[in-house]
Amino acid sequence: MTLKSNRLNAMVKILISSFGLIFATWLAVFGYLVAPTLFSSLDSVQAGNQVGKLLSATNFILLAALLILVIAKSFFLKTLASIWMLLLSALIVIVSEFWLTPKMQLIKEQYPQGILKSSEHWHSFMAMHGVYQLLFLTLILLLVVWSLANLNRLFLENQLDDKKSL
C-alpha cells in the first residue's frame, strides 16, 4: 500500500473508532444542555414535546448507526472491540424508544396541560423517566468505553507496527 492509502486507512479507522465519542458527546450535550435549556425557556408541555421529538430522531439515527457497526464488525472490521457493547447500546436504544417512551407518552396524553405532582400517574411517570435517564447515562458511558477501547487498540497496533518497521 502507498503512504497515502495507509494514511486514509488510518483516518477511517480513527473515525470509526471515535463514533462512540461523537455520539456520546451529542447525547450529553443534548441531554444535559439542550433539554434543560428548552425546559427553562418553554412551558413544560412544549419543552417535553420538543425534547421527545429530538430524542426520538436521535434514537433512530443512533440505532441505524449501531446496526451498521454491528454488521461491519461481524463481516468487515473484525478488529473493532467488543461487539457486546454495540449490541447492549442498541438494546438500550430499543428499550428506551419502543417500550419506555410509548408508556410515558400514554401518561402524558392523559394530561394535556402537563402532569402535576398531585396526579395519580405522577409517580409512575417519574419512575419511568428515572429509568430512561439511567439508560441514557448508561448508553453514553457504553459509547465512550467502546470508543476508548477501539482507540486504545489502534494505538497499540500502531506501536507494534512502528516496532516492526525498526
Side-chain angles (χ1 to χ4, degrees):
M1 271 198 242
T2 66
L3 181 61
K4 195 173 192 178
S5 65
N6 281 343
R7 282 188 182 163
L8 180 61
N9 190 22
M11 287 173 45
V12 168
K13 284 181 179 180
I14 290 170
L15 181 63
I16 291 170
S17 296
S18 300
F19 163 82
L21 291 175
I22 294 165
F23 253 100
T25 301
W26 162 250
L27 291 171
V29 166
F30 179 76
Y32 300 109
L33 293 175
V34 174
T37 301
L38 287 173
F39 275 97
S40 70
S41 60
L42 300 172
D43 72 75
S44 63
V45 173
Q46 286 180 315
N49 289 336
Q50 293 303 315
V51 167
K53 288 177 188 175
L54 291 170
L55 274 174
S56 186
T58 298
N59 283 340
F60 280 103
I61 293 167
L62 179 57
L63 186 58
L66 286 167
L67 293 177
I68 289 168
L69 280 174
V70 166
I71 291 167
K73 164 78 172 139
S74 299
F75 298 106
F76 311 112
L77 302 169
K78 304 255 187 227
T79 60
L80 286 179
S82 304
I83 196 167
W84 70 266
M85 284 191 223
L86 296 174
L87 292 172
L88 185 55
S89 296
L91 180 63
I92 288 171
V93 173
I94 289 167
V95 167
S96 298
E97 185 62 31
F98 299 109
W99 185 68
L100 273 174
T101 298
K103 287 183 172 290
M104 292 169 64
Q105 192 59 38
L106 282 174
I107 293 173
K108 285 172 35 176
E109 287 171 1
Q110 295 177 32
Y111 301 91
Q113 302 302 317
I115 189 167
L116 302 173
K117 289 181 182 179
S118 59
S119 70
E120 78 176 88
H121 295 103
W122 172 259
H123 293 290
S124 297
F125 181 82
M126 291 312 295
M128 285 184 266
H129 193 274
V131 170
Y132 193 102
Q133 287 178 325
L134 183 61
L135 290 173
F136 188 79
L137 182 57
T138 303
L139 177 61
I140 290 171
L141 293 173
L142 267 172
L143 291 170
V144 167
V145 169
W146 181 83
S147 276
L148 292 177
N150 280 295
L151 290 169
N152 186 50
R153 182 175 281 182
L154 280 176
F155 176 74
L156 293 174
E157 284 175 10
N158 190 36
Q159 282 186 327
L160 286 174
D161 289 344
D162 287 348
K163 285 181 181 179
K164 286 179 186 176
S165 67
L166 290 175

